Structures are given as structure tokens and as C-alpha cells.
mmCIF file of all heavy atoms in Angstrom:
data_model
loop_
_atom_site.group_PDB
_atom_site.id
_atom_site.type_symbol
_atom_site.label_atom_id
_atom_site.label_comp_id
_atom_site.label_asym_id
_atom_site.label_seq_id
_atom_site.Cartn_x
_atom_site.Cartn_y
_atom_site.Cartn_z
ATOM 1 N N MET A 21 64.579 -132.458 38.888
ATOM 2 C CA MET A 21 65.074 -133.452 39.846
ATOM 3 C C MET A 21 65.985 -134.445 39.132
ATOM 4 O O MET A 21 65.817 -134.741 37.977
ATOM 5 C CB MET A 21 63.905 -134.196 40.486
ATOM 6 C CG MET A 21 63.004 -133.320 41.338
ATOM 7 S SD MET A 21 63.816 -132.706 42.805
ATOM 8 C CE MET A 21 63.818 -134.197 43.833
ATOM 9 N N ALA A 22 66.919 -134.954 39.883
ATOM 10 C CA ALA A 22 67.833 -135.953 39.339
ATOM 11 C C ALA A 22 68.286 -136.853 40.473
ATOM 12 O O ALA A 22 68.079 -136.534 41.642
ATOM 13 C CB ALA A 22 69.034 -135.283 38.701
ATOM 14 N N TYR A 23 68.874 -137.969 40.085
ATOM 15 C CA TYR A 23 69.444 -138.858 41.095
ATOM 16 C C TYR A 23 70.872 -138.414 41.386
ATOM 17 O O TYR A 23 71.556 -137.841 40.534
ATOM 18 C CB TYR A 23 69.424 -140.304 40.596
ATOM 19 C CG TYR A 23 68.122 -141.018 40.876
ATOM 20 C CD1 TYR A 23 66.946 -140.633 40.227
ATOM 21 C CD2 TYR A 23 68.048 -142.069 41.787
ATOM 22 C CE1 TYR A 23 65.748 -141.283 40.481
ATOM 23 C CE2 TYR A 23 66.847 -142.727 42.038
ATOM 24 C CZ TYR A 23 65.703 -142.328 41.385
ATOM 25 O OH TYR A 23 64.508 -142.972 41.644
ATOM 26 N N GLN A 24 71.308 -138.704 42.605
ATOM 27 C CA GLN A 24 72.684 -138.449 42.998
ATOM 28 C C GLN A 24 73.244 -139.714 43.625
ATOM 29 O O GLN A 24 72.515 -140.474 44.248
ATOM 30 C CB GLN A 24 72.763 -137.301 44.015
ATOM 31 C CG GLN A 24 72.457 -135.933 43.411
ATOM 32 C CD GLN A 24 72.577 -134.820 44.447
ATOM 33 O OE1 GLN A 24 72.581 -135.063 45.644
ATOM 34 N NE2 GLN A 24 72.680 -133.583 43.964
ATOM 35 N N ILE A 25 74.538 -139.940 43.453
ATOM 36 C CA ILE A 25 75.181 -141.124 44.021
ATOM 37 C C ILE A 25 75.907 -140.735 45.306
ATOM 38 O O ILE A 25 76.752 -139.839 45.307
ATOM 39 C CB ILE A 25 76.145 -141.744 42.997
ATOM 40 C CG1 ILE A 25 75.340 -142.295 41.804
ATOM 41 C CG2 ILE A 25 76.981 -142.846 43.639
ATOM 42 C CD1 ILE A 25 76.185 -142.812 40.658
ATOM 43 N N SER A 26 75.570 -141.436 46.380
ATOM 44 C CA SER A 26 76.150 -141.114 47.684
ATOM 45 C C SER A 26 77.549 -141.710 47.829
ATOM 46 O O SER A 26 78.022 -142.482 46.985
ATOM 47 C CB SER A 26 75.257 -141.661 48.803
ATOM 48 O OG SER A 26 75.438 -143.059 48.920
ATOM 49 N N ASP A 27 78.202 -141.384 48.943
ATOM 50 C CA ASP A 27 79.547 -141.888 49.215
ATOM 51 C C ASP A 27 79.542 -143.388 49.506
ATOM 52 O O ASP A 27 80.611 -143.988 49.659
ATOM 53 C CB ASP A 27 80.160 -141.133 50.399
ATOM 54 C CG ASP A 27 80.492 -139.692 50.045
ATOM 55 O OD1 ASP A 27 80.538 -139.375 48.839
ATOM 56 O OD2 ASP A 27 80.722 -138.892 50.970
ATOM 57 N N ASP A 28 78.360 -144.004 49.583
ATOM 58 C CA ASP A 28 78.287 -145.448 49.785
ATOM 59 C C ASP A 28 78.734 -146.210 48.541
ATOM 60 O O ASP A 28 78.983 -147.415 48.605
ATOM 61 C CB ASP A 28 76.853 -145.870 50.132
ATOM 62 C CG ASP A 28 76.428 -145.376 51.504
ATOM 63 O OD1 ASP A 28 77.317 -145.100 52.339
ATOM 64 O OD2 ASP A 28 75.211 -145.285 51.748
ATOM 65 N N CYS A 29 78.837 -145.540 47.423
ATOM 66 C CA CYS A 29 79.222 -146.167 46.147
ATOM 67 C C CYS A 29 80.549 -146.905 46.275
ATOM 68 O O CYS A 29 81.524 -146.364 46.791
ATOM 69 C CB CYS A 29 79.325 -145.093 45.067
ATOM 70 S SG CYS A 29 79.992 -145.693 43.498
ATOM 71 N N ILE A 30 80.558 -148.162 45.784
ATOM 72 C CA ILE A 30 81.779 -148.965 45.815
ATOM 73 C C ILE A 30 82.391 -149.096 44.421
ATOM 74 O O ILE A 30 83.223 -149.959 44.173
ATOM 75 C CB ILE A 30 81.505 -150.362 46.418
ATOM 76 C CG1 ILE A 30 80.386 -151.080 45.642
ATOM 77 C CG2 ILE A 30 81.131 -150.249 47.899
ATOM 78 C CD1 ILE A 30 80.175 -152.541 46.081
ATOM 79 N N SER A 31 81.962 -148.240 43.515
ATOM 80 C CA SER A 31 82.522 -148.177 42.161
ATOM 81 C C SER A 31 82.476 -149.507 41.416
ATOM 82 O O SER A 31 83.430 -149.879 40.743
ATOM 83 C CB SER A 31 83.966 -147.651 42.199
ATOM 84 O OG SER A 31 83.991 -146.303 42.629
ATOM 85 N N CYS A 32 81.342 -150.209 41.524
ATOM 86 C CA CYS A 32 81.215 -151.492 40.833
ATOM 87 C C CYS A 32 80.939 -151.303 39.342
ATOM 88 O O CYS A 32 81.194 -152.179 38.535
ATOM 89 C CB CYS A 32 80.107 -152.329 41.465
ATOM 90 S SG CYS A 32 78.436 -151.739 41.109
ATOM 91 N N GLY A 33 80.362 -150.165 38.982
ATOM 92 C CA GLY A 33 80.124 -149.860 37.574
ATOM 93 C C GLY A 33 78.795 -150.336 37.016
ATOM 94 O O GLY A 33 78.478 -150.062 35.859
ATOM 95 N N SER A 34 78.001 -151.044 37.809
ATOM 96 C CA SER A 34 76.738 -151.595 37.303
ATOM 97 C C SER A 34 75.778 -150.518 36.811
ATOM 98 O O SER A 34 75.083 -150.699 35.811
ATOM 99 C CB SER A 34 76.049 -152.403 38.397
ATOM 100 O OG SER A 34 76.822 -153.517 38.758
ATOM 101 N N CYS A 35 75.740 -149.413 37.482
ATOM 102 C CA CYS A 35 74.776 -148.373 37.121
ATOM 103 C C CYS A 35 75.110 -147.696 35.795
ATOM 104 O O CYS A 35 74.209 -147.256 35.079
ATOM 105 C CB CYS A 35 74.691 -147.328 38.219
ATOM 106 S SG CYS A 35 76.275 -146.554 38.618
ATOM 107 N N GLU A 36 76.395 -147.633 35.462
ATOM 108 C CA GLU A 36 76.780 -146.930 34.234
ATOM 109 C C GLU A 36 76.113 -147.554 33.012
ATOM 110 O O GLU A 36 75.549 -146.856 32.172
ATOM 111 C CB GLU A 36 78.303 -146.940 34.083
ATOM 112 C CG GLU A 36 78.765 -146.148 32.868
ATOM 113 C CD GLU A 36 80.285 -146.059 32.768
ATOM 114 O OE1 GLU A 36 80.983 -146.783 33.501
ATOM 115 O OE2 GLU A 36 80.763 -145.259 31.946
ATOM 116 N N SER A 37 76.154 -148.878 32.929
ATOM 117 C CA SER A 37 75.563 -149.545 31.770
ATOM 118 C C SER A 37 74.048 -149.603 31.861
ATOM 119 O O SER A 37 73.358 -149.793 30.858
ATOM 120 C CB SER A 37 76.139 -150.945 31.616
ATOM 121 O OG SER A 37 76.034 -151.671 32.809
ATOM 122 N N ALA A 38 73.499 -149.444 33.060
ATOM 123 C CA ALA A 38 72.050 -149.516 33.241
ATOM 124 C C ALA A 38 71.360 -148.199 32.894
ATOM 125 O O ALA A 38 70.161 -148.170 32.663
ATOM 126 C CB ALA A 38 71.723 -149.887 34.683
ATOM 127 N N CYS A 39 72.117 -147.125 32.840
ATOM 128 C CA CYS A 39 71.509 -145.821 32.576
ATOM 129 C C CYS A 39 71.206 -145.630 31.088
ATOM 130 O O CYS A 39 72.106 -145.717 30.261
ATOM 131 C CB CYS A 39 72.447 -144.709 33.044
ATOM 132 S SG CYS A 39 71.774 -143.053 32.742
ATOM 133 N N PRO A 40 69.939 -145.381 30.751
ATOM 134 C CA PRO A 40 69.554 -145.226 29.343
ATOM 135 C C PRO A 40 69.996 -143.879 28.758
ATOM 136 O O PRO A 40 69.924 -143.680 27.545
ATOM 137 C CB PRO A 40 68.018 -145.320 29.389
ATOM 138 C CG PRO A 40 67.675 -144.807 30.739
ATOM 139 C CD PRO A 40 68.783 -145.270 31.657
ATOM 140 N N CYS A 41 70.445 -142.992 29.601
ATOM 141 C CA CYS A 41 70.796 -141.643 29.155
ATOM 142 C C CYS A 41 72.297 -141.386 29.100
ATOM 143 O O CYS A 41 72.717 -140.295 28.722
ATOM 144 C CB CYS A 41 70.155 -140.613 30.078
ATOM 145 S SG CYS A 41 68.375 -140.784 30.218
ATOM 146 N N GLY A 42 73.080 -142.374 29.494
ATOM 147 C CA GLY A 42 74.528 -142.156 29.510
ATOM 148 C C GLY A 42 74.944 -141.075 30.483
ATOM 149 O O GLY A 42 75.941 -140.395 30.279
ATOM 150 N N ALA A 43 74.171 -140.943 31.558
ATOM 151 C CA ALA A 43 74.412 -139.850 32.506
ATOM 152 C C ALA A 43 75.431 -140.200 33.582
ATOM 153 O O ALA A 43 75.869 -139.322 34.317
ATOM 154 C CB ALA A 43 73.091 -139.459 33.164
ATOM 155 N N ILE A 44 75.815 -141.479 33.664
ATOM 156 C CA ILE A 44 76.685 -141.924 34.755
ATOM 157 C C ILE A 44 78.096 -142.213 34.257
ATOM 158 O O ILE A 44 78.285 -142.854 33.232
ATOM 159 C CB ILE A 44 76.100 -143.182 35.424
ATOM 160 C CG1 ILE A 44 74.666 -142.906 35.902
ATOM 161 C CG2 ILE A 44 76.978 -143.620 36.592
ATOM 162 C CD1 ILE A 44 73.972 -144.117 36.503
ATOM 163 N N SER A 45 79.060 -141.714 34.995
ATOM 164 C CA SER A 45 80.458 -141.972 34.647
ATOM 165 C C SER A 45 81.266 -142.158 35.926
ATOM 166 O O SER A 45 80.834 -141.798 37.017
ATOM 167 C CB SER A 45 81.030 -140.816 33.821
ATOM 168 O OG SER A 45 80.953 -139.607 34.558
ATOM 169 N N GLU A 46 82.462 -142.730 35.744
ATOM 170 C CA GLU A 46 83.315 -142.978 36.900
ATOM 171 C C GLU A 46 83.965 -141.677 37.337
ATOM 172 O O GLU A 46 84.572 -140.967 36.538
ATOM 173 C CB GLU A 46 84.378 -144.027 36.569
ATOM 174 C CG GLU A 46 85.163 -144.470 37.794
ATOM 175 C CD GLU A 46 86.039 -145.686 37.499
ATOM 176 O OE1 GLU A 46 86.170 -146.051 36.330
ATOM 177 O OE2 GLU A 46 86.583 -146.248 38.471
ATOM 178 N N GLY A 47 83.820 -141.381 38.634
ATOM 179 C CA GLY A 47 84.426 -140.170 39.162
ATOM 180 C C GLY A 47 85.561 -140.496 40.105
ATOM 181 O O GLY A 47 86.081 -141.613 40.093
ATOM 182 N N ASP A 48 85.915 -139.565 40.931
ATOM 183 C CA ASP A 48 87.020 -139.733 41.852
ATOM 184 C C ASP A 48 86.554 -140.460 43.108
ATOM 185 O O ASP A 48 85.973 -139.856 44.006
ATOM 186 C CB ASP A 48 87.582 -138.351 42.209
ATOM 187 C CG ASP A 48 88.852 -138.464 43.052
ATOM 188 O OD1 ASP A 48 89.431 -139.555 43.111
ATOM 189 O OD2 ASP A 48 89.253 -137.445 43.643
ATOM 190 N N GLY A 49 86.755 -141.773 43.158
ATOM 191 C CA GLY A 49 86.374 -142.556 44.327
ATOM 192 C C GLY A 49 84.961 -143.084 44.311
ATOM 193 O O GLY A 49 84.605 -143.929 45.113
ATOM 194 N N LYS A 50 84.145 -142.575 43.410
ATOM 195 C CA LYS A 50 82.783 -143.086 43.267
ATOM 196 C C LYS A 50 82.262 -142.691 41.887
ATOM 197 O O LYS A 50 82.881 -141.886 41.198
ATOM 198 C CB LYS A 50 81.875 -142.525 44.362
ATOM 199 C CG LYS A 50 81.645 -141.012 44.262
ATOM 200 C CD LYS A 50 80.567 -140.549 45.251
ATOM 201 C CE LYS A 50 80.200 -139.096 45.016
ATOM 202 N NZ LYS A 50 79.066 -138.654 45.838
ATOM 203 N N TYR A 51 81.134 -143.269 41.518
ATOM 204 C CA TYR A 51 80.534 -142.902 40.245
ATOM 205 C C TYR A 51 79.679 -141.654 40.438
ATOM 206 O O TYR A 51 79.205 -141.370 41.536
ATOM 207 C CB TYR A 51 79.703 -144.069 39.698
ATOM 208 C CG TYR A 51 80.550 -145.037 38.892
ATOM 209 C CD1 TYR A 51 81.609 -145.718 39.499
ATOM 210 C CD2 TYR A 51 80.318 -145.252 37.540
ATOM 211 C CE1 TYR A 51 82.404 -146.586 38.769
ATOM 212 C CE2 TYR A 51 81.117 -146.127 36.805
ATOM 213 C CZ TYR A 51 82.155 -146.793 37.425
ATOM 214 O OH TYR A 51 82.953 -147.643 36.703
ATOM 215 N N VAL A 52 79.502 -140.911 39.357
ATOM 216 C CA VAL A 52 78.760 -139.660 39.456
ATOM 217 C C VAL A 52 77.698 -139.583 38.357
ATOM 218 O O VAL A 52 77.830 -140.187 37.294
ATOM 219 C CB VAL A 52 79.700 -138.441 39.354
ATOM 220 C CG1 VAL A 52 80.602 -138.346 40.578
ATOM 221 C CG2 VAL A 52 80.527 -138.493 38.079
ATOM 222 N N ILE A 53 76.643 -138.840 38.631
ATOM 223 C CA ILE A 53 75.540 -138.635 37.690
ATOM 224 C C ILE A 53 75.536 -137.189 37.217
ATOM 225 O O ILE A 53 75.582 -136.264 38.028
ATOM 226 C CB ILE A 53 74.186 -138.960 38.359
ATOM 227 C CG1 ILE A 53 74.110 -140.459 38.693
ATOM 228 C CG2 ILE A 53 73.024 -138.551 37.445
ATOM 229 C CD1 ILE A 53 72.901 -140.839 39.526
ATOM 230 N N ASP A 54 75.493 -137.013 35.900
ATOM 231 C CA ASP A 54 75.338 -135.674 35.322
ATOM 232 C C ASP A 54 73.858 -135.303 35.422
ATOM 233 O O ASP A 54 73.009 -135.862 34.723
ATOM 234 C CB ASP A 54 75.786 -135.694 33.861
ATOM 235 C CG ASP A 54 75.739 -134.305 33.219
ATOM 236 O OD1 ASP A 54 74.924 -133.465 33.671
ATOM 237 O OD2 ASP A 54 76.499 -134.074 32.264
ATOM 238 N N ALA A 55 73.550 -134.377 36.313
ATOM 239 C CA ALA A 55 72.158 -134.022 36.595
ATOM 240 C C ALA A 55 71.427 -133.504 35.352
ATOM 241 O O ALA A 55 70.214 -133.688 35.216
ATOM 242 C CB ALA A 55 72.103 -132.973 37.703
ATOM 243 N N ASP A 56 72.157 -132.891 34.435
ATOM 244 C CA ASP A 56 71.526 -132.354 33.231
ATOM 245 C C ASP A 56 71.093 -133.461 32.276
ATOM 246 O O ASP A 56 70.242 -133.253 31.416
ATOM 247 C CB ASP A 56 72.483 -131.404 32.517
ATOM 248 C CG ASP A 56 72.708 -130.122 33.313
ATOM 249 O OD1 ASP A 56 71.818 -129.742 34.089
ATOM 250 O OD2 ASP A 56 73.788 -129.505 33.150
ATOM 251 N N MET A 57 71.703 -134.653 32.414
ATOM 252 C CA MET A 57 71.384 -135.765 31.515
ATOM 253 C C MET A 57 70.434 -136.771 32.151
ATOM 254 O O MET A 57 69.807 -137.570 31.461
ATOM 255 C CB MET A 57 72.682 -136.479 31.103
ATOM 256 C CG MET A 57 73.629 -135.595 30.304
ATOM 257 S SD MET A 57 75.233 -136.390 30.004
ATOM 258 C CE MET A 57 74.754 -137.675 28.825
ATOM 259 N N CYS A 58 70.331 -136.754 33.461
ATOM 260 C CA CYS A 58 69.500 -137.737 34.168
ATOM 261 C C CYS A 58 68.017 -137.514 33.893
ATOM 262 O O CYS A 58 67.509 -136.405 34.028
ATOM 263 C CB CYS A 58 69.758 -137.638 35.673
ATOM 264 S SG CYS A 58 68.711 -138.713 36.661
ATOM 265 N N ALA A 59 67.330 -138.616 33.529
ATOM 266 C CA ALA A 59 65.898 -138.555 33.228
ATOM 267 C C ALA A 59 65.056 -139.037 34.412
ATOM 268 O O ALA A 59 63.846 -139.210 34.276
ATOM 269 C CB ALA A 59 65.594 -139.381 31.990
ATOM 270 N N ASP A 60 65.721 -139.281 35.552
ATOM 271 C CA ASP A 60 64.983 -139.628 36.769
ATOM 272 C C ASP A 60 64.250 -140.964 36.652
ATOM 273 O O ASP A 60 63.181 -141.124 37.235
ATOM 274 C CB ASP A 60 63.968 -138.505 37.047
ATOM 275 C CG ASP A 60 63.850 -138.186 38.528
ATOM 276 O OD1 ASP A 60 64.767 -138.548 39.292
ATOM 277 O OD2 ASP A 60 62.837 -137.592 38.917
ATOM 278 N N CYS A 61 64.835 -141.909 35.920
ATOM 279 C CA CYS A 61 64.126 -143.168 35.668
ATOM 280 C C CYS A 61 64.257 -144.168 36.810
ATOM 281 O O CYS A 61 63.440 -145.079 36.946
ATOM 282 C CB CYS A 61 64.630 -143.799 34.379
ATOM 283 S SG CYS A 61 66.291 -144.499 34.514
ATOM 284 N N GLY A 62 65.329 -144.057 37.586
ATOM 285 C CA GLY A 62 65.508 -144.948 38.726
ATOM 286 C C GLY A 62 66.228 -146.253 38.432
ATOM 287 O O GLY A 62 66.424 -147.065 39.338
ATOM 288 N N SER A 63 66.627 -146.482 37.187
ATOM 289 C CA SER A 63 67.299 -147.738 36.834
ATOM 290 C C SER A 63 68.589 -147.937 37.611
ATOM 291 O O SER A 63 68.922 -149.061 38.014
ATOM 292 C CB SER A 63 67.604 -147.774 35.334
ATOM 293 O OG SER A 63 66.417 -147.835 34.598
ATOM 294 N N CYS A 64 69.315 -146.866 37.838
ATOM 295 C CA CYS A 64 70.588 -146.983 38.560
ATOM 296 C C CYS A 64 70.350 -147.462 39.984
ATOM 297 O O CYS A 64 71.099 -148.286 40.512
ATOM 298 C CB CYS A 64 71.326 -145.645 38.546
ATOM 299 S SG CYS A 64 70.350 -144.227 39.090
ATOM 300 N N ALA A 65 69.313 -146.964 40.603
ATOM 301 C CA ALA A 65 69.005 -147.358 41.974
ATOM 302 C C ALA A 65 68.596 -148.823 42.036
ATOM 303 O O ALA A 65 68.890 -149.516 43.017
ATOM 304 C CB ALA A 65 67.890 -146.477 42.529
ATOM 305 N N GLU A 66 67.952 -149.315 40.974
ATOM 306 C CA GLU A 66 67.499 -150.707 40.955
ATOM 307 C C GLU A 66 68.672 -151.677 40.875
ATOM 308 O O GLU A 66 68.629 -152.750 41.462
ATOM 309 C CB GLU A 66 66.554 -150.936 39.768
ATOM 310 C CG GLU A 66 65.189 -150.308 39.962
ATOM 311 C CD GLU A 66 64.297 -150.495 38.734
ATOM 312 O OE1 GLU A 66 64.593 -151.382 37.921
ATOM 313 O OE2 GLU A 66 63.331 -149.735 38.600
ATOM 314 N N VAL A 67 69.712 -151.323 40.141
ATOM 315 C CA VAL A 67 70.829 -152.263 39.952
ATOM 316 C C VAL A 67 71.930 -152.110 40.999
ATOM 317 O O VAL A 67 72.762 -152.995 41.161
ATOM 318 C CB VAL A 67 71.456 -152.122 38.548
ATOM 319 C CG1 VAL A 67 70.397 -152.397 37.478
ATOM 320 C CG2 VAL A 67 72.091 -150.761 38.354
ATOM 321 N N CYS A 68 71.946 -151.015 41.720
ATOM 322 C CA CYS A 68 73.041 -150.758 42.671
ATOM 323 C C CYS A 68 72.977 -151.716 43.866
ATOM 324 O O CYS A 68 71.935 -151.809 44.521
ATOM 325 C CB CYS A 68 72.976 -149.323 43.155
ATOM 326 S SG CYS A 68 74.311 -148.946 44.332
ATOM 327 N N PRO A 69 74.070 -152.400 44.181
ATOM 328 C CA PRO A 69 74.086 -153.348 45.296
ATOM 329 C C PRO A 69 74.095 -152.692 46.674
ATOM 330 O O PRO A 69 73.846 -153.349 47.682
ATOM 331 C CB PRO A 69 75.380 -154.156 45.077
ATOM 332 C CG PRO A 69 76.273 -153.199 44.347
ATOM 333 C CD PRO A 69 75.355 -152.382 43.458
ATOM 334 N N VAL A 70 74.395 -151.399 46.725
ATOM 335 C CA VAL A 70 74.498 -150.739 48.036
ATOM 336 C C VAL A 70 73.522 -149.571 48.194
ATOM 337 O O VAL A 70 73.582 -148.826 49.165
ATOM 338 C CB VAL A 70 75.948 -150.246 48.294
ATOM 339 C CG1 VAL A 70 76.897 -151.441 48.392
ATOM 340 C CG2 VAL A 70 76.409 -149.270 47.222
ATOM 341 N N GLY A 71 72.624 -149.396 47.224
ATOM 342 C CA GLY A 71 71.625 -148.333 47.345
ATOM 343 C C GLY A 71 72.183 -146.925 47.319
ATOM 344 O O GLY A 71 71.624 -146.018 47.937
ATOM 345 N N ALA A 72 73.282 -146.753 46.589
ATOM 346 C CA ALA A 72 73.930 -145.436 46.579
ATOM 347 C C ALA A 72 73.187 -144.364 45.772
ATOM 348 O O ALA A 72 73.179 -143.208 46.182
ATOM 349 C CB ALA A 72 75.364 -145.575 46.080
ATOM 350 N N PRO A 73 72.580 -144.713 44.633
ATOM 351 C CA PRO A 73 71.849 -143.660 43.890
ATOM 352 C C PRO A 73 70.538 -143.332 44.598
ATOM 353 O O PRO A 73 69.726 -144.212 44.869
ATOM 354 C CB PRO A 73 71.578 -144.301 42.529
ATOM 355 C CG PRO A 73 72.490 -145.495 42.452
ATOM 356 C CD PRO A 73 72.620 -145.957 43.880
ATOM 357 N N GLN A 74 70.366 -142.065 44.910
ATOM 358 C CA GLN A 74 69.159 -141.641 45.598
ATOM 359 C C GLN A 74 68.619 -140.384 44.952
ATOM 360 O O GLN A 74 69.368 -139.566 44.435
ATOM 361 C CB GLN A 74 69.471 -141.378 47.074
ATOM 362 C CG GLN A 74 69.816 -142.661 47.838
ATOM 363 C CD GLN A 74 70.468 -142.391 49.184
ATOM 364 O OE1 GLN A 74 70.580 -141.255 49.609
ATOM 365 N NE2 GLN A 74 70.906 -143.464 49.831
ATOM 366 N N GLN A 75 67.316 -140.246 45.014
ATOM 367 C CA GLN A 75 66.672 -139.092 44.426
ATOM 368 C C GLN A 75 67.031 -137.846 45.225
ATOM 369 O O GLN A 75 66.885 -137.824 46.442
ATOM 370 C CB GLN A 75 65.161 -139.293 44.411
ATOM 371 C CG GLN A 75 64.495 -138.694 43.197
ATOM 372 C CD GLN A 75 63.151 -139.331 42.904
ATOM 373 O OE1 GLN A 75 62.589 -140.024 43.735
ATOM 374 N NE2 GLN A 75 62.643 -139.098 41.717
ATOM 375 N N ALA A 76 67.514 -136.845 44.534
ATOM 376 C CA ALA A 76 67.942 -135.612 45.207
ATOM 377 C C ALA A 76 66.735 -134.790 45.624
ATOM 378 O O ALA A 76 65.685 -134.898 45.037
ATOM 379 C CB ALA A 76 68.854 -134.803 44.302
HETATM 380 FE FE1 SF4 B 113 70.432 -142.669 34.533
HETATM 381 FE FE2 SF4 B 113 67.941 -143.147 35.260
HETATM 382 FE FE3 SF4 B 113 69.883 -143.148 37.087
HETATM 383 FE FE4 SF4 B 113 69.133 -140.856 35.978
HETATM 384 S S1 SF4 B 113 67.860 -142.174 37.303
HETATM 385 S S2 SF4 B 113 71.246 -141.537 36.294
HETATM 386 S S3 SF4 B 113 68.623 -141.515 33.890
HETATM 387 S S4 SF4 B 113 69.643 -144.608 35.379
HETATM 388 FE FE1 SF4 B 114 78.379 -147.177 42.709
HETATM 389 FE FE2 SF4 B 114 76.038 -148.415 42.943
HETATM 390 FE FE3 SF4 B 114 76.817 -147.448 40.579
HETATM 391 FE FE4 SF4 B 114 77.991 -149.602 41.609
HETATM 392 S S1 SF4 B 114 75.856 -149.463 40.949
HETATM 393 S S2 SF4 B 114 79.032 -147.829 40.638
HETATM 394 S S3 SF4 B 114 77.992 -149.095 43.810
HETATM 395 S S4 SF4 B 114 76.352 -146.268 42.448
#
């Protein structure tokens, strides 16, 4: 299991620095999570202002 970032993402960048695994990077129009690197910790969901990261 991994987290995924929905289209609600406003590309604020807060989750990238909050991820302990370096799994988040800026994508085309929104940030994206590399599922192979995600440890399912939930930190990105905690810092996101719009609730875009959700458990897949
Ligand atoms: Fe990174 Fe944790 Fe979010 Fe996975 S759940 S992308 S490890 S902050
Ligand atoms: Fe997008 Fe939320 Fe990450 Fe900001 S914290 S870049 S809105 S997913």
C-alpha cells in the first residue's frame, strides 16, 4: 500500500519536505508519490492543506 496524491493538490510543496523517504516530487500540475518509496507513514496527509494525499 502507498499514498497517492489526488487532483486536489495545489502544488504547495509542503509534503515534499515532510516525507521521510524522499518519495514525493513535483509532477505535471500536481505533486506525485513514488509508490515504491512510500513507507505509508501518513506525514504528507498531515501537512497537506487540502487533504490531497490519500491512502490508495
Ligand atoms: Fe512519504 Fe509517508 Fe507520504 Fe509515503 S505516506 S509519501 S512515506 S510522507
Ligand atoms: Fe499538493 Fe498537498 Fe503536497 Fe501541497 S501538501 S504539494 S497541496 S499534496
